[in-house]
Amino acid sequence: IWFRDYAGISLKPSTQNLFKDTLERLLLPAFSDTQMSDITTGHLQAYVSSRAKIVKPNTVRNELTVIKLIFKHASRWGYVKHNPTLNIERPKIEKPEIEILSPEEFETFLEKAEKPYNVAFLTAFLTGLRAGELWGLQWGDIDWNSRQIHVKRSLWNHQLQKPKTKHSIRKIDMTERLIRELKVWKLACPISEYDLVFPSPE
């Protein structure tokens, strides 16, 4: 009911698939013998603890997001009288130190990369675009006059979709080098149905 009336119509397709997998593969089997109204914070905490022993903390937290959303709507829609997820302890995440390539290392990387991927990598490196945003980039998103890239969409599972949040829709300044490389690539870029800056070889 939750997936039909909320997740299936309110969330992005990528999030829907992720949540549906969590629901069908993990949550329904784990709680199939218990009525929703009988599920306590203790039951859910035991689930979280058992999962934390076999998967990474971030994975458990993602699963817990689904559980919290389900009970939030179950409470709002009158299926349960109280929300047992309010006091669940989430597993802590230790953030690993991020290794960043030095400019010299990146130049070496670009030398080894094949065309046109080296232009795509350069764009990612100089703009901070996420992978989906990079592959969803269209030539119309590039404003040569203002020297900016307009991020308006991302590509996921062969589908163009709106970015995750309002903040993801943004403008990014281009360097002289990036403008030069993109203009050269535009002359060689294969024509694609969606006017993609980096269409796949297929």
Side-chain angles (χ1 to χ4, degrees):
I1 291 172
W2 170 78
F3 193 87
R4 183 194 68 197
D5 294 346
Y6 170 71
I9 58 175
S10 301
L11 304 176
K12 289 169 50 178
S14 56
T15 308
Q16 287 181 28
N17 286 352
L18 181 65
F19 282 11
K20 191 172 186 179
D21 175 68
T22 300
L23 186 63
E24 295 178 347
R25 184 171 54 86
L26 299 168
L27 302 184
L28 289 178
F31 298 100
S32 60
D33 296 332
T34 312
Q35 290 288 329
M36 277 197 77
S37 56
D38 294 331
I39 295 177
T40 65
T41 302
H43 288 131
L44 297 174
Q45 194 66 61
Y47 171 83
V48 169
S49 299
S50 64
R51 290 290 292 160
K53 294 176 182 176
I54 55 177
V55 295
K56 294 181 179 179
N58 204 45
T59 301
V60 181
R61 289 164 76 105
N62 290 339
E63 294 168 16
L64 191 52
T65 295
V66 182
I67 295 173
K68 283 178 173 287
L69 282 171
I70 289 173
F71 273 100
K72 170 186 165 184
H73 289 92
S75 177
R76 182 180 294 174
W77 296 338
Y79 289 102
V80 295
K81 292 182 179 179
H82 72 283
N83 187 342
T85 67
L86 298 179
N87 296 312
I88 295 178
E89 297 287 339
R90 301 190 302 172
K92 293 181 179 179
I93 297 177
E94 292 184 7
K95 292 185 178 180
E97 187 175 336
I98 299 175
E99 292 187 21
I100 300 174
L101 294 178
S102 68
E104 293 77 17
E105 289 171 328
F106 183 72
E107 291 299 338
T108 301
F109 173 73
L110 277 186
E111 289 174 10
K112 301 293 183 182
E114 297 179 3
K115 291 183 178 296
Y117 297 108
N118 58 343
V119 184
F121 293 141
L122 179 68
T123 305
F125 186 73
L126 294 177
T127 62
L129 286 176
R130 300 179 181 92
E133 295 170 340
L134 186 70
W135 306 132
L137 197 63
Q138 296 175 340
W139 285 111
D141 300 330
I142 298 177
D143 188 332
W144 304 105
N145 293 323
S146 67
R147 306 159 68 85
Q148 290 180 320
I149 292 176
H150 295 221
V151 183
K152 301 176 181 177
R153 77 195 65 76
S154 63
L155 182 71
W156 179 84
N157 200 24
H158 305 288
Q159 292 181 330
L160 293 171
Q161 57 186 15
K162 290 182 179 179
K164 229 172 203 180
T165 65
K166 290 181 180 178
H167 298 295
S168 298
I169 300 174
R170 61 200 189 279
K171 298 177 182 178
I172 301 174
D173 294 331
M174 294 187 291
T175 64
E176 282 285 353
R177 179 182 180 185
L178 183 56
I179 292 172
R180 185 173 63 251
E181 293 290 344
L182 283 174
K183 283 185 175 180
V184 171
W185 167 237
K186 193 174 192 302
L187 297 175
C189 179
I191 297 174
S192 64
E193 180 182 356
Y194 298 104
D195 197 31
L196 297 174
V197 177
F198 301 112
S200 72
E202 292 78 24

